[in-house]
Amino acid sequence: MYRVIDRMLSREVALKVVGPDESDWLRREFDTLRQIRHENLIRVFLWEPLASGGSYYTMEFIDGSDLGRSIGNPLPAEEVRSVL
């Protein structure tokens, strides 16, 4: 996850990037978030594939802390998926 400036939107956004092994999962996550509107969910803006086979999407940036760090250890990807 990266904090970047989206020049088209003229604002800070979060950029989520994954490699080829998780690209399909990321696309499904993006499509799900795009269809749901709720005040407690982030807004997503753009999904793009990468030449490497990976992909990324941009989303609303919310300044906050990392859930994994706040409990002491990063969570494994599978556990994060189950929570989401």
Side-chain angles (χ1 to χ4, degrees):
M1 190 75 71
Y2 299 94
R3 183 177 181 174
V4 300
I5 300 293
D6 184 321
R7 292 182 184 163
M8 292 175 62
L9 297 174
S10 299
R11 68 171 146 188
E12 280 186 315
V13 296
L15 175 72
K16 186 171 189 175
V17 181
V18 297
D21 293 341
E22 294 191 320
S23 192
D24 289 340
W25 177 82
L26 189 73
R27 180 59 195 237
R28 288 190 302 273
E29 177 183 88
F30 175 83
D31 288 341
T32 300
L33 288 170
R34 187 179 56 177
Q35 294 174 35
I36 301 170
R37 292 278 184 240
H38 189 275
E39 65 186 49
N40 293 334
L41 292 177
I42 57 142
R43 290 179 22 215
V44 295
F45 303 118
L46 174 69
W47 179 89
E48 289 288 329
L50 298 168
S52 65
S55 60
Y56 72 89
Y57 72 74
T58 59
M59 68 188 94
E60 177 181 14
F61 175 77
I62 299 173
D63 197 10
S65 63
D66 181 309
L67 174 62
R69 288 189 184 137
S70 68
I71 61 172
N73 296 307
L75 298 172
E78 289 301 316
E79 188 172 341
V80 172
R81 286 188 192 110
S82 72
V83 170
L84 294 176

Coordinates of all heavy atoms in Angstrom, one line a residue:
M1 N 0.9 -1.2 0.0 CA 0.0 0.0 0.0 C 0.9 1.2 0.0 O 1.9 1.3 0.8 CB -0.9 0.0 1.2 CG -2.0 1.0 1.3 SD -3.4 0.6 0.2 CE -4.1 -0.8 1.0
Y2 N 0.6 2.2 -0.8 CA 1.3 3.4 -1.0 C 0.4 4.6 -0.9 O -0.7 4.6 -1.3 CB 2.1 3.4 -2.3 CG 3.1 2.3 -2.5 CD1 2.7 1.1 -3.1 CD2 4.3 2.4 -2.0 CE1 3.6 0.1 -3.3 CE2 5.2 1.4 -2.1 CZ 4.8 0.2 -2.8 OH 5.7 -0.8 -2.9
R3 N 0.9 5.7 -0.4 CA 0.3 7.0 -0.4 C 0.8 7.8 -1.6 O 2.0 8.1 -1.6 CB 0.6 7.7 0.9 CG -0.1 9.0 1.1 CD 0.3 9.5 2.5 NE -0.3 10.7 2.8 CZ -0.3 11.3 4.0 NH1 0.4 10.7 5.0 NH2 -0.8 12.4 4.3
V4 N -0.1 8.1 -2.5 CA 0.4 8.8 -3.8 C -0.5 10.0 -4.1 O -1.6 10.1 -3.6 CB 0.4 7.8 -5.0 CG1 1.4 6.7 -4.7 CG2 -0.9 7.3 -5.3
I5 N -0.1 10.8 -5.1 CA -0.9 11.8 -5.6 C -1.5 11.4 -6.9 O -0.7 11.0 -7.8 CB -0.1 13.1 -5.8 CG1 0.5 13.6 -4.5 CG2 -1.0 14.2 -6.5 CD1 -0.5 14.1 -3.5
D6 N -2.8 11.4 -7.1 CA -3.5 11.1 -8.3 C -3.6 12.4 -9.1 O -4.4 13.3 -8.6 CB -4.8 10.5 -8.1 CG -5.5 10.0 -9.4 OD1 -5.4 10.8 -10.4 OD2 -6.2 9.0 -9.4
R7 N -2.9 12.6 -10.1 CA -2.9 13.9 -10.9 C -4.2 14.1 -11.6 O -4.6 15.2 -11.8 CB -1.7 13.9 -11.9 CG -0.4 14.0 -11.1 CD 0.7 14.1 -12.1 NE 2.0 14.1 -11.4 CZ 3.1 13.8 -11.9 NH1 3.2 13.6 -13.2 NH2 4.2 13.8 -11.2
M8 N -4.9 13.0 -12.0 CA -6.2 13.2 -12.6 C -7.3 13.7 -11.7 O -8.1 14.5 -12.0 CB -6.6 11.9 -13.3 CG -5.8 11.5 -14.5 SD -6.2 9.9 -15.2 CE -7.8 10.2 -15.7
L9 N -7.2 13.2 -10.4 CA -8.2 13.6 -9.4 C -7.7 14.8 -8.6 O -8.5 15.3 -7.8 CB -8.5 12.4 -8.4 CG -9.1 11.1 -9.1 CD1 -9.2 10.0 -8.1 CD2 -10.5 11.5 -9.6
S10 N -6.4 15.1 -8.7 CA -5.8 16.2 -8.0 C -6.0 16.0 -6.5 O -6.4 17.0 -5.7 CB -6.4 17.6 -8.4 OG -6.2 17.8 -9.7
R11 N -5.6 14.8 -6.0 CA -5.7 14.6 -4.5 C -4.9 13.4 -4.2 O -4.5 12.6 -5.0 CB -7.1 14.4 -4.1 CG -7.8 13.1 -4.6 CD -9.1 12.9 -4.0 NE -10.0 12.4 -4.9 CZ -11.3 12.2 -4.7 NH1 -11.8 12.6 -3.6 NH2 -12.1 11.7 -5.6
E12 N -4.6 13.2 -2.9 CA -3.9 12.0 -2.4 C -4.9 10.8 -2.4 O -6.1 11.0 -2.1 CB -3.5 12.2 -0.9 CG -2.3 13.0 -0.7 CD -1.9 13.1 0.7 OE1 -2.8 13.2 1.6 OE2 -0.7 12.9 1.0
V13 N -4.3 9.7 -2.8 CA -5.1 8.5 -2.8 C -4.1 7.4 -2.3 O -2.9 7.6 -2.2 CB -5.6 8.1 -4.2 CG1 -6.6 9.1 -4.7 CG2 -4.4 7.9 -5.2
A14 N -4.7 6.3 -1.9 CA -4.0 5.1 -1.5 C -3.9 4.2 -2.8 O -4.8 4.1 -3.5 CB -4.7 4.3 -0.4
L15 N -2.7 3.6 -3.0 CA -2.4 2.7 -4.1 C -2.1 1.4 -3.6 O -1.2 1.2 -2.8 CB -1.2 3.3 -4.9 CG -0.7 2.4 -6.1 CD1 -1.7 2.5 -7.2 CD2 0.6 2.9 -6.5
K16 N -2.9 0.4 -4.0 CA -2.7 -1.0 -3.5 C -2.2 -1.8 -4.7 O -2.8 -1.8 -5.8 CB -4.1 -1.6 -3.0 CG -3.9 -3.0 -2.4 CD -5.2 -3.4 -1.8 CE -5.1 -4.6 -1.0 NZ -6.3 -4.9 -0.3
V17 N -1.0 -2.4 -4.5 CA -0.4 -3.1 -5.6 C -0.1 -4.6 -5.2 O 0.2 -4.9 -4.1 CB 1.0 -2.5 -5.9 CG1 1.7 -3.2 -7.1 CG2 0.9 -1.0 -6.2
V18 N -0.4 -5.5 -6.1 CA -0.1 -6.9 -5.9 C 0.6 -7.5 -7.1 O 0.5 -7.0 -8.2 CB -1.4 -7.7 -5.5 CG1 -2.1 -7.2 -4.3 CG2 -2.4 -7.7 -6.7
G19 N 1.2 -8.7 -6.8 CA 1.9 -9.4 -7.9 C 0.9 -10.3 -8.7 O -0.3 -10.3 -8.4
P20 N 1.4 -11.1 -9.7 CA 0.5 -11.9 -10.5 C -0.3 -12.9 -9.7 O -1.4 -13.2 -10.1 CB 1.5 -12.6 -11.4 CG 2.8 -11.8 -11.4 CD 2.8 -11.1 -10.0
D21 N 0.2 -13.5 -8.6 CA -0.5 -14.5 -7.9 C -1.8 -14.0 -7.2 O -2.7 -14.7 -7.0 CB 0.4 -15.1 -6.8 CG 1.5 -15.9 -7.4 OD1 1.4 -16.3 -8.6 OD2 2.5 -16.2 -6.7
E22 N -1.8 -12.7 -6.9 CA -3.0 -12.1 -6.3 C -3.8 -11.2 -7.1 O -4.8 -10.6 -6.7 CB -2.6 -11.4 -5.0 CG -2.0 -12.4 -3.9 CD -1.8 -11.8 -2.6 OE1 -1.4 -10.6 -2.5 OE2 -2.1 -12.5 -1.6
S23 N -3.5 -11.1 -8.4 CA -4.1 -10.1 -9.3 C -5.6 -10.4 -9.4 O -6.4 -9.4 -9.4 CB -3.4 -10.1 -10.6 OG -3.9 -9.0 -11.4
D24 N -6.0 -11.6 -9.6 CA -7.4 -12.0 -9.8 C -8.2 -11.6 -8.5 O -9.3 -11.1 -8.5 CB -7.6 -13.4 -10.1 CG -7.2 -13.8 -11.5 OD1 -7.1 -12.8 -12.4 OD2 -6.9 -15.0 -11.8
W25 N -7.6 -11.9 -7.3 CA -8.2 -11.6 -6.1 C -8.4 -10.1 -5.9 O -9.5 -9.6 -5.5 CB -7.4 -12.2 -4.9 CG -8.0 -11.8 -3.6 CD1 -9.0 -12.4 -2.9 CD2 -7.6 -10.7 -2.8 NE1 -9.2 -11.8 -1.7 CE2 -8.4 -10.7 -1.6 CE3 -6.7 -9.7 -2.9 CZ2 -8.3 -9.8 -0.6 CZ3 -6.6 -8.7 -1.9 CH2 -7.4 -8.8 -0.8
L26 N -7.4 -9.3 -6.3 CA -7.5 -7.9 -6.2 C -8.6 -7.3 -7.1 O -9.3 -6.4 -6.7 CB -6.2 -7.2 -6.6 CG -6.1 -5.7 -6.3 CD1 -6.0 -5.5 -4.8 CD2 -4.9 -5.1 -7.0
R27 N -8.7 -7.9 -8.3 CA -9.8 -7.4 -9.2 C -11.2 -7.7 -8.6 O -12.1 -6.9 -8.6 CB -9.7 -8.1 -10.5 CG -10.7 -7.7 -11.5 CD -10.7 -6.2 -11.8 NE -11.8 -5.7 -12.4 CZ -11.8 -5.0 -13.6 NH1 -10.7 -4.7 -14.2 NH2 -12.9 -4.5 -14.1
R28 N -11.4 -8.9 -8.0 CA -12.6 -9.2 -7.3 C -12.9 -8.2 -6.1 O -14.0 -7.7 -5.9 CB -12.7 -10.6 -6.9 CG -12.8 -11.6 -8.0 CD -13.1 -13.0 -7.5 NE -12.1 -13.5 -6.7 CZ -11.0 -14.2 -7.1 NH1 -10.7 -14.3 -8.3 NH2 -10.1 -14.6 -6.2
E29 N -11.9 -7.9 -5.4 CA -12.0 -7.0 -4.2 C -12.4 -5.6 -4.8 O -13.3 -5.0 -4.2 CB -10.7 -6.9 -3.5 CG -10.7 -5.9 -2.3 CD -9.4 -5.8 -1.7 OE1 -8.5 -5.0 -2.1 OE2 -9.1 -6.5 -0.7
F30 N -11.8 -5.2 -5.8 CA -12.1 -3.9 -6.4 C -13.5 -3.8 -6.9 O -14.3 -2.9 -6.6 CB -11.1 -3.6 -7.5 CG -11.4 -2.3 -8.3 CD1 -11.0 -1.1 -7.8 CD2 -12.2 -2.3 -9.5 CE1 -11.4 0.1 -8.5 CE2 -12.5 -1.2 -10.1 CZ -12.1 0.1 -9.6
D31 N -13.9 -4.9 -7.6 CA -15.3 -4.9 -8.2 C -16.3 -4.9 -7.1 O -17.4 -4.3 -7.2 CB -15.5 -6.1 -9.1 CG -14.8 -6.0 -10.4 OD1 -14.4 -4.9 -10.8 OD2 -14.5 -7.1 -11.0
T32 N -16.0 -5.6 -6.0 CA -17.0 -5.6 -4.8 C -17.1 -4.2 -4.2 O -18.2 -3.7 -4.0 CB -16.5 -6.7 -3.8 OG1 -16.5 -7.9 -4.4 CG2 -17.4 -6.7 -2.6
L33 N -15.9 -3.6 -3.9 CA -16.0 -2.3 -3.3 C -16.6 -1.3 -4.2 O -17.3 -0.3 -3.7 CB -14.5 -1.9 -2.9 CG -13.9 -2.6 -1.8 CD1 -12.4 -2.3 -1.6 CD2 -14.6 -2.3 -0.5
R34 N -16.4 -1.4 -5.5 CA -17.0 -0.4 -6.4 C -18.5 -0.5 -6.4 O -19.2 0.5 -6.7 CB -16.5 -0.7 -7.8 CG -16.9 0.3 -8.9 CD -16.3 0.0 -10.2 NE -16.7 -1.4 -10.5 CZ -16.5 -2.0 -11.7 NH1 -15.7 -1.4 -12.6 NH2 -16.9 -3.2 -12.0
Q35 N -19.1 -1.6 -6.1 CA -20.6 -1.8 -6.2 C -21.3 -1.4 -4.9 O -22.5 -1.2 -4.9 CB -20.9 -3.3 -6.5 CG -20.5 -3.7 -7.9 CD -20.7 -5.2 -8.1 OE1 -21.6 -5.8 -7.6 NE2 -19.8 -5.8 -8.8
I36 N -20.5 -1.3 -3.8 CA -21.1 -1.0 -2.5 C -20.8 0.4 -2.1 O -19.7 0.9 -2.1 CB -20.5 -2.0 -1.4 CG1 -20.8 -3.4 -1.8 CG2 -21.1 -1.7 -0.1 CD1 -20.0 -4.4 -0.9
R37 N -21.9 1.1 -1.7 CA -21.7 2.5 -1.2 C -22.1 2.5 0.3 O -23.3 2.2 0.6 CB -22.6 3.4 -2.0 CG -22.1 3.7 -3.4 CD -21.0 4.7 -3.4 NE -20.6 5.0 -4.7 CZ -19.4 4.7 -5.2 NH1 -18.5 4.2 -4.5 NH2 -19.1 5.0 -6.5
H38 N -21.2 2.8 1.2 CA -21.5 2.8 2.6 C -20.5 3.8 3.2 O -19.3 3.8 2.8 CB -21.4 1.4 3.2 CG -21.9 1.4 4.6 ND1 -21.1 1.7 5.7 CD2 -23.1 1.1 5.1 CE1 -21.9 1.6 6.8 NE2 -23.1 1.2 6.5
E39 N -20.9 4.5 4.2 CA -20.1 5.5 4.8 C -18.9 4.9 5.5 O -17.9 5.6 5.8 CB -20.9 6.4 5.8 CG -21.4 5.6 7.0 CD -22.3 6.4 7.9 OE1 -23.2 7.0 7.4 OE2 -22.1 6.3 9.2
N40 N -18.9 3.6 5.9 CA -17.8 3.0 6.6 C -16.9 2.3 5.6 O -15.9 1.6 6.1 CB -18.3 2.0 7.6 CG -19.0 2.7 8.7 OD1 -18.7 3.9 9.0 ND2 -19.9 2.1 9.4
L41 N -17.1 2.3 4.3 CA -16.2 1.7 3.3 C -15.5 2.7 2.5 O -16.1 3.8 2.1 CB -17.0 0.8 2.4 CG -17.6 -0.5 3.1 CD1 -18.4 -1.3 2.1 CD2 -16.5 -1.4 3.6
I42 N -14.3 2.4 2.1 CA -13.6 3.4 1.3 C -14.1 3.4 -0.1 O -14.8 2.4 -0.6 CB -12.1 3.0 1.2 CG1 -11.9 1.5 0.7 CG2 -11.4 3.2 2.5 CD1 -10.8 1.3 -0.2
R43 N -13.9 4.4 -0.9 CA -14.3 4.5 -2.3 C -13.1 4.1 -3.1 O -12.0 4.5 -2.8 CB -14.7 6.0 -2.6 CG -16.0 6.4 -2.0 CD -16.4 7.8 -2.3 NE -15.9 8.3 -3.5 CZ -15.5 9.6 -3.6 NH1 -15.7 10.4 -2.6 NH2 -15.0 10.1 -4.8
V44 N -13.3 3.3 -4.1 CA -12.2 2.9 -5.0 C -12.4 3.7 -6.3 O -13.5 4.1 -6.7 CB -12.2 1.4 -5.3 CG1 -11.9 0.7 -4.0 CG2 -13.5 0.9 -5.9
F45 N -11.3 4.0 -7.0 CA -11.3 4.8 -8.2 C -10.9 4.1 -9.5 O -11.6 4.2 -10.5 CB -10.4 6.0 -8.0 CG -10.8 6.8 -6.8 CD1 -9.9 7.0 -5.8 CD2 -12.1 7.4 -6.7 CE1 -10.3 7.8 -4.6 CE2 -12.4 8.2 -5.6 CZ -11.5 8.3 -4.5
L46 N -9.7 3.4 -9.5 CA -9.2 2.9 -10.7 C -8.5 1.6 -10.5 O -7.7 1.5 -9.5 CB -8.2 3.9 -11.3 CG -7.4 3.5 -12.5 CD1 -8.3 3.4 -13.7 CD2 -6.2 4.5 -12.8
W47 N -8.8 0.6 -11.3 CA -8.0 -0.7 -11.3 C -7.3 -0.8 -12.6 O -7.9 -0.5 -13.7 CB -9.0 -1.8 -11.1 CG -8.3 -3.2 -11.1 CD1 -7.9 -3.8 -10.0 CD2 -8.0 -4.0 -12.3 NE1 -7.3 -5.0 -10.4 CE2 -7.4 -5.1 -11.8 CE3 -8.3 -3.9 -13.6 CZ2 -6.9 -6.2 -12.6 CZ3 -7.8 -4.9 -14.4 CH2 -7.2 -6.0 -13.9
E48 N -6.1 -1.2 -12.6 CA -5.3 -1.4 -13.8 C -4.4 -2.6 -13.7 O -3.8 -2.9 -12.6 CB -4.4 -0.2 -14.0 CG -5.1 1.1 -14.4 CD -5.6 1.0 -15.9 OE1 -5.0 0.4 -16.7 OE2 -6.6 1.6 -16.1
P49 N -4.3 -3.4 -14.8 CA -3.3 -4.5 -14.8 C -1.9 -3.9 -15.1 O -1.8 -2.8 -15.6 CB -3.8 -5.3 -16.0 CG -4.5 -4.4 -16.9 CD -5.1 -3.4 -16.0
L50 N -0.9 -4.6 -14.7 CA 0.5 -4.2 -14.9 C 1.1 -5.2 -15.9 O 0.7 -6.4 -16.0 CB 1.3 -4.3 -13.6 CG 0.9 -3.3 -12.5 CD1 1.5 -3.6 -11.2 CD2 1.1 -1.9 -13.0
A51 N 2.1 -4.8 -16.6 CA 2.8 -5.6 -17.6 C 3.4 -6.8 -17.0 O 3.6 -7.9 -17.6 CB 3.9 -4.8 -18.3
S52 N 3.8 -6.7 -15.7 CA 4.4 -7.9 -14.9 C 3.4 -9.0 -14.6 O 3.8 -10.0 -14.1 CB 4.9 -7.3 -13.6 OG 3.9 -6.9 -12.8
G53 N 2.1 -8.7 -14.9 CA 1.1 -9.7 -14.5 C 0.3 -9.3 -13.2 O -0.7 -9.9 -12.9
G54 N 0.9 -8.4 -12.5 CA 0.3 -7.9 -11.3 C -0.8 -6.9 -11.6 O -1.1 -6.7 -12.8
S55 N -1.3 -6.2 -10.6 CA -2.2 -5.2 -10.8 C -2.2 -4.2 -9.7 O -1.6 -4.5 -8.6 CB -3.6 -5.8 -11.1 OG -4.0 -6.5 -9.9
Y56 N -3.0 -3.1 -9.8 CA -3.1 -2.2 -8.7 C -4.5 -1.5 -8.8 O -5.2 -1.6 -9.9 CB -2.0 -1.1 -8.8 CG -2.2 -0.1 -9.9 CD1 -2.9 1.1 -9.7 CD2 -1.6 -0.3 -11.1 CE1 -3.1 2.0 -10.7 CE2 -1.7 0.6 -12.1 CZ -2.4 1.8 -11.9 OH -2.6 2.7 -13.0
Y57 N -4.9 -0.9 -7.7 CA -6.1 0.0 -7.8 C -5.8 1.1 -6.8 O -5.0 1.1 -5.9 CB -7.4 -0.7 -7.6 CG -7.8 -1.2 -6.2 CD1 -8.2 -0.3 -5.2 CD2 -7.9 -2.6 -6.0 CE1 -8.6 -0.8 -4.0 CE2 -8.3 -3.1 -4.7 CZ -8.6 -2.2 -3.7 OH -9.1 -2.7 -2.5
T58 N -6.5 2.2 -7.1 CA -6.4 3.4 -6.3 C -7.7 3.5 -5.5 O -8.8 3.1 -6.0 CB -6.2 4.7 -7.1 OG1 -7.2 4.9 -8.0 CG2 -4.8 4.7 -7.8
M59 N -7.6 4.1 -4.3 CA -8.8 4.2 -3.5 C -8.6 5.5 -2.6 O -7.5 6.1 -2.5 CB -8.9 3.0 -2.6 CG -7.8 2.9 -1.5 SD -7.8 1.3 -0.6 CE -6.7 0.4 -1.6
E60 N -9.7 5.8 -2.0 CA -9.7 7.0 -1.1 C -8.6 6.8 0.0 O -8.4 5.7 0.5 CB -11.1 7.0 -0.4 CG -11.3 8.0 0.6 CD -12.8 7.8 1.2 OE1 -13.4 6.8 1.0 OE2 -13.2 8.8 1.8
F61 N -7.9 7.8 0.2 CA -6.8 7.8 1.3 C -7.4 8.2 2.6 O -8.1 9.3 2.7 CB -5.6 8.7 0.9 CG -4.6 8.7 2.0 CD1 -3.7 7.7 2.2 CD2 -4.6 9.8 2.9 CE1 -2.8 7.7 3.2 CE2 -3.7 9.9 3.9 CZ -2.8 8.8 4.1
I62 N -7.2 7.4 3.6 CA -7.7 7.7 5.0 C -6.4 7.6 5.9 O -5.8 6.6 5.9 CB -8.8 6.7 5.4 CG1 -10.0 6.8 4.5 CG2 -9.1 7.0 6.9 CD1 -11.1 5.8 4.8
D63 N -6.1 8.7 6.5 CA -4.9 8.7 7.4 C -5.3 8.0 8.6 O -6.2 8.3 9.4 CB -4.6 10.2 7.7 CG -3.2 10.3 8.2 OD1 -2.4 9.4 8.2 OD2 -2.9 11.4 8.7
G64 N -4.5 6.9 8.9 CA -4.8 6.1 10.1 C -3.6 5.2 10.3 O -2.6 5.3 9.7
S65 N -3.8 4.2 11.2 CA -2.8 3.3 11.5 C -3.0 1.9 10.8 O -4.0 1.6 10.3 CB -2.7 3.1 13.0 OG -3.9 2.5 13.5
D66 N -1.9 1.2 10.8 CA -1.9 -0.2 10.2 C -2.5 -1.2 11.2 O -1.9 -1.3 12.3 CB -0.5 -0.5 9.8 CG -0.3 -1.9 9.2 OD1 -0.8 -2.9 9.7 OD2 0.3 -1.9 8.1
L67 N -3.5 -1.9 10.9 CA -4.1 -2.8 11.8 C -3.1 -3.8 12.3 O -3.0 -4.1 13.5 CB -5.3 -3.6 11.2 CG -5.9 -4.7 12.0 CD1 -6.5 -4.1 13.3 CD2 -7.0 -5.4 11.2
G68 N -2.3 -4.4 11.4 CA -1.3 -5.4 11.8 C -0.3 -4.8 12.8 O 0.1 -5.5 13.8
R69 N 0.1 -3.6 12.6 CA 1.1 -3.0 13.6 C 0.4 -2.6 14.9 O 1.1 -2.7 15.9 CB 1.7 -1.7 12.9 CG 2.7 -2.0 11.8 CD 3.4 -0.8 11.4 NE 4.3 -1.2 10.2 CZ 4.4 -0.5 9.1 NH1 3.8 0.6 9.0 NH2 5.2 -1.0 8.2
S70 N -0.8 -2.3 14.8 CA -1.5 -1.9 16.1 C -1.7 -3.1 17.0 O -1.8 -2.9 18.2 CB -2.8 -1.2 15.8 OG -3.8 -2.1 15.2
I71 N -1.7 -4.3 16.5 CA -1.8 -5.4 17.4 C -0.4 -6.1 17.6 O -0.3 -7.2 18.2 CB -2.8 -6.5 16.9 CG1 -2.5 -7.0 15.5 CG2 -4.2 -5.9 16.9 CD1 -3.4 -8.1 15.1
G72 N 0.6 -5.5 17.0 CA 2.0 -6.0 17.3 C 2.6 -6.8 16.2 O 3.8 -6.7 16.0
N73 N 1.9 -7.5 15.3 CA 2.5 -8.2 14.2 C 1.6 -8.1 13.0 O 0.4 -8.0 13.1 CB 2.5 -9.7 14.6 CG 3.5 -10.0 15.7 OD1 4.6 -9.6 15.8 ND2 2.9 -10.7 16.7
P74 N 2.3 -8.0 11.8 CA 1.5 -8.0 10.6 C 0.7 -9.2 10.4 O 1.1 -10.3 10.8 CB 2.6 -7.9 9.5 CG 3.8 -7.4 10.1 CD 3.7 -7.9 11.6
L75 N -0.5 -9.1 9.9 CA -1.4 -10.2 9.7 C -1.1 -10.9 8.4 O -0.8 -10.3 7.4 CB -2.9 -9.8 9.7 CG -3.4 -9.1 11.0 CD1 -4.8 -8.6 10.8 CD2 -3.4 -10.1 12.1
P76 N -1.2 -12.3 8.4 CA -1.0 -13.0 7.1 C -2.1 -12.6 6.1 O -3.3 -12.3 6.5 CB -1.1 -14.4 7.5 CG -1.0 -14.5 9.0 CD -1.4 -13.2 9.5
A77 N -1.8 -12.6 4.8 CA -2.8 -12.2 3.8 C -4.1 -12.9 3.9 O -5.2 -12.4 3.8 CB -2.1 -12.3 2.4
E78 N -4.0 -14.2 4.2 CA -5.2 -15.0 4.3 C -6.1 -14.6 5.4 O -7.4 -14.6 5.3 CB -4.9 -16.5 4.4 CG -4.3 -17.2 3.2 CD -5.3 -17.1 2.0 OE1 -6.5 -17.3 2.1 OE2 -4.8 -16.7 0.9
E79 N -5.5 -14.2 6.5 CA -6.3 -13.7 7.6 C -7.0 -12.4 7.3 O -8.1 -12.2 7.7 CB -5.5 -13.6 8.9 CG -6.2 -13.3 10.1 CD -5.4 -13.4 11.4 OE1 -4.3 -14.0 11.4 OE2 -5.9 -12.9 12.4
V80 N -6.3 -11.5 6.7 CA -6.8 -10.2 6.3 C -8.0 -10.4 5.3 O -9.0 -9.8 5.5 CB -5.8 -9.3 5.6 CG1 -6.4 -8.1 5.0 CG2 -4.7 -9.0 6.6
R81 N -7.9 -11.4 4.4 CA -8.9 -11.6 3.5 C -10.2 -12.1 4.2 O -11.3 -11.8 3.8 CB -8.5 -12.7 2.4 CG -7.6 -12.1 1.4 CD -7.3 -13.1 0.3 NE -6.3 -12.6 -0.5 CZ -5.1 -13.2 -0.6 NH1 -4.8 -14.2 0.1 NH2 -4.1 -12.6 -1.3
S82 N -10.0 -13.0 5.2 CA -11.1 -13.5 5.9 C -11.8 -12.4 6.7 O -13.1 -12.5 6.8 CB -10.7 -14.7 6.8 OG -10.0 -14.2 7.9
V83 N -11.1 -11.5 7.2 CA -11.7 -10.4 7.9 C -12.5 -9.5 7.0 O -13.6 -9.1 7.3 CB -10.6 -9.5 8.7 CG1 -11.2 -8.2 9.2 CG2 -10.0 -10.3 9.8
L84 N -11.9 -9.2 5.8 CA -12.6 -8.4 4.8 C -13.8 -9.1 4.3 O -14.8 -8.5 3.9 CB -11.6 -8.0 3.7 CG -10.5 -7.1 4.1 CD1 -9.5 -6.8 2.9 CD2 -11.0 -5.8 4.7

